[in-house]
């Protein structure tokens, strides 16, 4: 359902040119749980941003459900992110001035929903991730794990076809990380919803059906689960 | 409704309430100046119109300025029976005093009451006067001799008379010049609010026009003169043709004009005042606009990450842009509301400064009550919202144009390049356009070219302030870094690092300083020569007026010429100089004609001033005939030289005066001409005087002579003052004028100071991690305090230096371009060193004080949180 075809991303950092992604091709099918692993600066977050139409490639093509994302207008890409893709970030990225239910309802409010309807759905999503009792609290009043659950609820509220997570446990202790990963594991729906998780943590990566190893902007190798065991597929 | 705005905007504004409040206050002050300026302009215009064409109901007017229209013109117009003219009506307006009501000023309108009997209601009832007759048989008693002198008075005056025990049959005393005559009450006038005479309703008297003309004692060829003649045109008639035919009948004795042409001409006269007021208020609004921009730009920078998050959740660029513009417009509307009553108060304050002068100069002093209309209120709110919207445009577009991934990643924005280029081009265009306008000013209506051109240059320079601050910082602050402690060095580094944030605020401070410097500089450059001139020309020992010095040069409070002889008869008095002030129409504006007893004045002054102005001796020649001495600004502005003929409209046609000399005089900004008083009386049929200068003999005892003069004045119900008090009064007029200017600049300075507070609060936020680190490695709270205060002080210092440079240029420009062009006056540029020192000190102290709140925020930082802050 999501595909990167020979995608490259280059950006300027002051006077330095950074080749974040160098000619990567990969596919994520509907219902798949894919982990993308690699050290810091390997380009894994950039890959995630490209998959979710948060960024545009320097060259190559990105497809979402067969549609060429580059040919979409900015408005169409915004709509894509609002209704068909959900993001979960390492540092939660909640709006500090909004309560938990308002943070979750934000994509619906952006879509023009009535406030009351949006908040009702928001609270429902919070219940689903086990944090409904904190609906009226602001981010500064919550723990890291609670904030990440709110972020997951926000990613789910619009019923997206793909959820993209950038180091979702990077800022959490091991116990909370486990809880969040267990929560994430329940999200993919076979044939419907995919989950892509970017991580440098092996334990988190093992939750996925497929692990893509990224090194210096290139796919170094892939691991897939076959008959209950992981098999390494060599790099392209 | 507006769910996004309710959730995001309202919550953010509440959380950052101090910044929101500062932005709203900046807008409020800008709106206050806008409202006060608008109200003042409305008052000035209304007063000017009410004085030029009160009771405006006719289709055409025959006028002749202050000279009045001869009664023969009226007879000729009636006799001509011009097709299309339905009615020809004379009108007299007089400013009088009512002795029974403590010399209260009132206005007489003389209308064609006799015509009413022949042709129906005068003015076709357009004046909407409701006249209630009173039972007073004497009023209309004409047999066996004309005893009755009927007059109608307004309801208010009637009630006040009754309250003082005056009955309907008691005569009414009315004073014009220093002569009081009695009239008889015939009617009470009730004036509806929408009547053309409503502005005068409180103090109105109406009588027959012939009676009013006689009372005004202005004899003409065919009878007493009237103020104007109104022509009422038949419906459907060709007004252009009627106009032409009427002018042909009138000839050179007067001018026939439409009400629109008169209003346009009046507008032109007050236009310069309005333009200056408007530019001052625009200045305050622009300073406020840039400070709002500054605050919003930093808000966008702060919330960039949140914007990235929203974009990643599917917010479109338009939604992001709308969010910030809606926020700005809300703050704009919020700020406008307190700005409106503040503006009303400011306008009242400004008018109060010149209460006496305004009442004396205009026919209707009631025009000078600022009235806040719904239209003004709406304009104020819309202006506030528009200012904030304009300020928000660039930050909003920046916010919307950022790539979501860059914002989420907190990577530097790559979208600023285009906007920066546009900004630089805008600065260059404004400055270049301004200079071009100044160079081409002679092709534009004066003083539009010079004022607007200068304003464009200043706005361009103000916009470019971040560039100047960056350059300045790079040049001078390394010196500070080398010579000062670590706190100051950090502050200096911060200024260099973020000129965009601080540049506009420093620019606003510099704008305030430069405006105050300009006022002080122009004030000093004017005041010194004018004081010297006053000391030379105000030489008499006693000065006599009818009401007060403010009325003296307005021709609204004349005196009978006979009083002059009474003062001359006082033992100890050597010379008595009568002066008549006459406003003559000249090339679309008004000049001041001073009719003076030239030889007496010359002799009086010569005896007291050893080396007077050489032109003084020419005063001996004034009685030679129709000759004139013109002021140097008149000669410079209008290109007049000795030997030229100056033609002024008189009551019987043009009057030609030969220029015999040019002398220094600062009486009127459009120029002054001097004529011998007796010749003026002959040519213009005006022998009343507006002021009397009394010179004592050198061997006379001053106090005794002064007391005798005072007794004569008391007898004639006149006011007398000595030289010192007159000089003090005249200087106080100048001081009050500059006080009003300083008031507007004070507002600009307050807005700038608010900008410093906002900018520093933001600076503290941006430097949170750095300040937290400072504390973590051992800096004390006082050291952190000093660093923030140092930044504030540097901002004040740089603002002061740049402000002085700009102010000096502005002073030169104002004196040598604007003032020279507009008035012909040439003043040497004097630098106000003392005032500059004071202004600089105030600026630096204000900026430093403005840094206190942010400084205290900084010292209260929680160190672990500050270090952990991303």
């Amino acid at each position: 359902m999501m595909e990167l075809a020979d995608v490259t991303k280059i950006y300027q950092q002051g006077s330095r040119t950074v080749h974040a992604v160098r000619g990567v091709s990969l596919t994520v099918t509907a219902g798949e749980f894919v982990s993308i692993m690699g050290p810091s600066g390997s380009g894994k977050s950039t890959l995630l941003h490209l998959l979710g139409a948060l960024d545009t490639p320097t060259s190559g093509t990105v497809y979402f459900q067969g549609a060429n994302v580059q040919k979409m207008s900015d408005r169409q890409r915004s709509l894509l992110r609002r209704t068909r893709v959900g993001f979960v970030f390492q540092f939660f990225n909640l709006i500090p001035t909004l309560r938990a239910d308002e943070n979750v309802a934000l994509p619906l409010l952006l879509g023009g929903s009535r406030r009351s309807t949006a908040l009702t759905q928001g609270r429902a999503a919070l219940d689903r991730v086990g944090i409904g009792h904190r609906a009226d609290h602001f981010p500064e009043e919550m723990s890291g794990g609670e904030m990440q659950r709110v972020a997951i609820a926000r990613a789910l509220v619009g019923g997206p076809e793909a959820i993209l997570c950038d180091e979702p446990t990077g800022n959490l202790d091991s116990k909370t990380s486990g809880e969040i990963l267990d929560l994430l594991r329940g999200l993919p729906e076979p044939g419907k919803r995919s989950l892509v998780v970017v991580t440098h943590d092996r334990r988190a990566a093992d939750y996925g059906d497929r692990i893509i190893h990224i090194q210096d902007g290139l796919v170094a190798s892939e691991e897939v689960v076959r008959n209950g065991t992981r098999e390494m597929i060599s790099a392209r | 409704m507006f769910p996004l705005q309710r959730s995001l905007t309202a919550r953010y504004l509440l959380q950052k309430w101090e910044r929101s409040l500062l932005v709203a206050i900046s807008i409020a002050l800008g709106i206050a100046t806008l409202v006060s300026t608008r109200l003042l302009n409305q008052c000035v215009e209304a007063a000017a119109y009410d004085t030029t064409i009160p009771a405006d109901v006719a289709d055409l007017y025959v006028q002749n300025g202050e000279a009045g229209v001869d009664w023969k013109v009226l007879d000729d117009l009636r006799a001509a029976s011009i097709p299309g003219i339905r009615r020809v009506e004379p009108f007299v307006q007089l400013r009088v005093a009512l002795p029974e009501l403590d010399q209260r000023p009132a206005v007489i309108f003389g209308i064609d009451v006799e015509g009413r009997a022949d042709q129906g209601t005068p003015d076709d009832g357009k004046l909407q006067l409701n006249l209630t007759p009173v039972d007073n048989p004497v009023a209309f008693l004409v047999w066996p001799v004309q005893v009755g002198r009927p007059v109608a008075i307004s309801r208010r005056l009637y009630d006040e008379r009754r309250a003082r025990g005056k009955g309907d049959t008691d005569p009414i005393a009315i004073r014009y010049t220093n002569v009081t005559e009695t009239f008889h009450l015939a009617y009470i006038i009730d004036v509806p609010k929408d009547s053309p005479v409503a502005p005068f309703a409180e103090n109105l008297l109406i009588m027959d026009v012939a009676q009013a003309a006689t009372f005004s004692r202005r004899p003409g060829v065919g009878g007493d003169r009237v103020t104007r003649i109104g022509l009422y045109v038949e419906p459907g008639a060709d007004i252009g043709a009627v106009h032409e035919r009427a002018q042909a009948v009138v000839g050179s004795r007067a001018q026939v004009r439409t009400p629109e042409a008169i209003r346009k001409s009046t507008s032109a006269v007050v236009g310069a005042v309005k333009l200056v007021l408007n530019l001052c208020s625009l200045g305050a609004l622009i300073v406020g606009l840039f400070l709002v921009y500054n605050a919003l730009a930093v808000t966008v920078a702060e919330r960039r990450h949140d914007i990235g998050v929203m974009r990643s959740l599917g917010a479109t660029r338009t939604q992001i842009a709308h969010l910030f513009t809606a926020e700005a417009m809300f703050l704009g509307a919020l700020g406008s509301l307190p700005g409106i009553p503040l503006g009303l108060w400011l306008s009242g304050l400004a008018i109060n400064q010149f209460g006496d002068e305004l009442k004396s100069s205009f026919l209707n002093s009631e025009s000078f009550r600022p009235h806040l209309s719904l239209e003004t209120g709406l304009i104020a709110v819309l202006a506030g919202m528009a200012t904030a919207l304009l300020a928000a445009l660039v930050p909003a577009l920046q916010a919307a144009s950022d790539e979501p991934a860059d914002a989420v990643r907190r990577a530097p924005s790559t979208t600023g390049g285009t906007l920066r280029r546009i900004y630089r081009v805008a600065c260059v265009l404004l400055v270049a356009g301004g200079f071009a306008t100044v160079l081409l000013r002679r092709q534009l209506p004066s003083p539009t070219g010079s004022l607007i051109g200068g304003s464009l240059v200043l706005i361009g320079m103000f916009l470019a302030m971040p560039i100047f601050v960056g350059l300045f910082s790079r040049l001078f602050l390394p010196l500070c870094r080398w010579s000062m402690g670590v706190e100051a060095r950090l502050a200096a580094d911060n200024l260099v690092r973020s000129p965009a944030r601080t540049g506009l605020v420093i620019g606003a401070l510099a704008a305030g300083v430069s405006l105050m410097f300009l006022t002080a500089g122009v004030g000093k450059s004017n005041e010194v020569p004018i004081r010297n001139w006053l000391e030379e020309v105000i030489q008499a020992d006693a000065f006599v007026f009818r009401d007060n010095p403010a009325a003296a040069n307005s021709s609204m409070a004349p005196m009978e010429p006979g009083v002059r002889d009474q003062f001359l008869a006082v033992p100890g008095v050597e010379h008595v100089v009568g002066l008549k002030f006459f406003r003559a129409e000249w090339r679309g504006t008004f000049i001041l004609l001073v009719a003076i007893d030239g030889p007496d004045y010359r002799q009086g002054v010569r005896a007291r001033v050893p080396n007077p102005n050489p032109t003084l001796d020419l005063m001996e020649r004034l009685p030679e005939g129709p000759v004139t001495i013109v002021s140097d600004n008149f000669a410079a502005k209008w290109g007049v030289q000795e030997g030229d003929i100056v033609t002024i409209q008189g009551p019987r046609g043009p009057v030609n005066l030969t220029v015999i000399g040019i002398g220094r005089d600062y009486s009127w900004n459009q120029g002054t001409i001097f004529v011998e008083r007796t010749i003026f009386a002959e040519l213009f049929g005006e022998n009343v005087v507006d002021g009397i200068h009394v010179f004592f003999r050198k061997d006379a005892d001053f106090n005794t002579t002064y007391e005798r003069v005072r007794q004569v004045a008391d007898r004639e119900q006149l006011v007398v003052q000595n030289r010192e008090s007159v000089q003090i009064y005249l200087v106080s007029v100048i001081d009050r004028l500059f006080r009003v200017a300083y008031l507007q600049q004070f507002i600009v300075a307050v807005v700038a100071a608010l900008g410093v507070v906002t900018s520093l609060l933001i600076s503290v936020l941006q430097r949170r991690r750095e300040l937290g680190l400072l504390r973590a490695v051992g800096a004390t709270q006082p050291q952190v305090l000093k660093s923030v205060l140092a930044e504030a002080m540097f901002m004040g210092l740089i603002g002061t230096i740049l402000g002085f440079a700009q102010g000096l240029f502005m002073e030169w420009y104002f004196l040598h371009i604007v003032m020279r062009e507009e008035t012909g006056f040439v003043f040497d540029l004097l630098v106000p060193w003392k005032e500059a020192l004071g202004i600089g000190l105030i600026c630096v102290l204000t900026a430093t004080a403005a840094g206190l709140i942010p400084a205290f925020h900084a010292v209260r930082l929680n160190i672990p949180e500050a270090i952990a802050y991303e």
Side-chain angles (χ1 to χ4, degrees), chain A residues 49 54-55 74-75 78 81-82 87 89 91 93 95-99 102 106 109-110 113 115 138 154, chain B residues 3-4 6-8 11-12 15 305-306 309-317 319 404-405 408-409:
Chain A
H49 293 163
L54 204 58
D55 204 351
D74 180 82
R75 189 176 171 74
S78 300
R81 292 194 295 270
R82 191 188 302 168
F87 276 96
F89 299 97
F91 292 104
N93 285 352
I95 307 290
T97 52
L98 299 181
R99 296 191 313 258
E102 290 168 331
L106 193 51
L109 290 172
L110 288 168
S113 290
R115 185 178 155 82
F138 288 93
R154 184 178 65 189
Chain B
L4 261 185
R6 277 171 62 191
S7 303
L8 289 162
R11 199 66 61 74
Y12 180 80
Q15 210 188 53
H305 185 66
D306 289 352
V309 170
M310 280 192 276
R311 291 278 278 140
S312 71
L313 297 177
T316 62
R317 291 189 204 277
Q319 282 177 312
V408 165
R409 265 207 318 260

Side-chain angles (χ1 to χ4, degrees), chain B residues 298 494 498 501-502 757-768 771 788 791 795 854:
Chain B
V298 177
N494 199 43
S498 48
R501 173 177 59 79
T502 53
V757 176
T758 316
S759 177
L760 286 169
L761 277 173
I762 292 161
S763 165
V764 165
L765 204 62
Q766 289 179 330
R767 294 172 65 194
R768 204 173 137 94
L771 294 170
V788 176
E791 189 179 350
M795 286 169 75

Side-chain angles (χ1 to χ4, degrees), chain B residues 258-281:
Chain B
T258 59
E260 291 74 33
I262 297 169
R263 272 189 221 109
K264 204 169 151 188
S265 155
T266 310
S267 279
V269 172
V270 301
V273 171
K274 282 167 64 176
L275 187 62
V276 170
L277 282 174
N278 284 337
L279 284 172
C280 283
S281 93

Side-chain angles (χ1 to χ4, degrees), chain B residues 59 243 386 403 440 547 578 672 720 779 812 829 833 859:
Chain B
D59 301 302
H243 188 159
E403 288 300 328
L440 295 169
D547 290 340
T672 312
V720 63
W812 174 86
L829 188 146
W833 296 110
V859 301

Side-chain angles (χ1 to χ4, degrees), chain B residues 420-481:
Chain B
R420 265 195 295 275
R421 274 190 290 277
I422 292 172
Y423 156 70
R424 282 181 192 141
V425 168
C427 291
V428 170
L429 280 177
L430 278 167
V431 172
F435 276 123
T437 311
V438 170
L439 288 170
L440 295 169
R441 64 186 185 279
R442 293 192 205 287
Q443 277 73 48
L444 295 165
S446 168
T448 315
S450 48
L451 281 176
I452 290 180
S455 303
L456 286 175
V457 169
L458 284 174
I459 292 170
M461 283 166 65
F462 177 57
L463 257 184
M465 203 50 77
I467 301 171
F468 292 136
V469 169
L471 283 170
F472 192 92
S473 306
R474 275 173 183 78
L475 283 173
F476 291 101
L477 290 179
L479 182 67
C480 299
R481 273 193 239 124

Side-chain angles (χ1 to χ4, degrees), chain B residues 840-862:
Chain B
L841 216 61
I842 290 169
C843 178
V844 172
L845 286 174
T846 305
T848 311
L852 278 173
I853 296 171
F856 282 120
H857 266 272
V859 301
R860 291 200 322 248
L861 280 177
N862 181 296

Side-chain angles (χ1 to χ4, degrees), chain A residues 98 106 109 115, chain B residues 1-13 303 318-327 330:
Chain A
L98 299 181
L106 193 51
L109 290 172
R115 185 178 155 82
Chain B
M1 202 172 146
F2 305 117
L4 261 185
Q5 278 73 20
R6 277 171 62 191
S7 303
L8 289 162
T9 302
R11 199 66 61 74
Y12 180 80
L13 289 176
R303 290 158 81 184
T318 313
Q319 282 177 312
I320 299 294
H322 280 172
L323 208 60
F324 285 96
T325 48
E327 205 168 290
F330 173 73

